[in-house]
Amino acid sequence: MSGLDPETKMQFLFALRSKGVTDARVLSVIESIDRGPFTRGIFAQRAYEDMPLPIACGQTISQPSVVGIMTQALQVNPRDKVLEVGTGSGYQAAILSKLARRVYTVDRHARLVREAREIFESLHLPNITAITADGSHGLPEQAPFDRIIVTAAAEDPPGPLLAQLRIGGIMVVPVGQSDTVQTLIRVRRTETGYEYDELRPVRFVPLLEGLGKEG
Ligand code: SAH
């Protein structure tokens, strides 16, 4: 956000704080990553409004305050290996890459993955690997993960993702029907099972099976 005028930047960060993004590390990472390149065309001028915006393939880049709340709920440590399901624009993955050792991000749309990769390269974010895959199966070849974030709504936390979470790990996932308000859930894996807590209402596009057709 370096090229931004100070007033827009201050208002943006103020909006995030007032919606519950209070973690200083998360706020400073959000401050350091320009949301502009992750938006497209006419929407770029709205990059600093706290709103979801349309991207390619009928998908959306999440609302910044929701990105902030999910990121702080994930409690990422610098040595963590993180899996994100739902690359979309790549914005959430870019934020995570500044907090974690390694980020794997998967999307069912090859086009979104391709475009996100280009942005990661241009922003010099070498610790992100973006892969075209159906993320409801997780990424078995890189499991287990310290943290998993799902940015599309599932009716239940997908079993393969629960299985690929390391003991002591945390997963954040919106749960519920796609056409209604969903609940953001945090799952912690313990030695003996899983603990769940409900964080807040959210609205995400659905987690769909299989790969997207439009390439
Ligand atoms: N995190 C993104 C926003 C995600 S929008 C950002 O920061 O911009 C949700 C994304 O989830 C969409 O791009 C959609 O294609 C993807 N998605 C839906 N179901 C999926 C699945 N089964 N596997 C992988 N990605 C999926």
Side-chain angles (χ1 to χ4, degrees), residues 115-133:
E115 291 177 359
R117 271 191 203 133
E118 281 169 18
I119 304 176
F120 300 149
E121 247 173 64
S122 71
L123 296 181
H124 310 292
L125 303 172
N127 62 335
I128 310 178
T129 305
I131 299 168
T132 305

Side-chain angles (χ1 to χ4, degrees), residues 27 54 79 105 178:
L27 281 166
R79 300 193 52 78
T105 181
S178 61

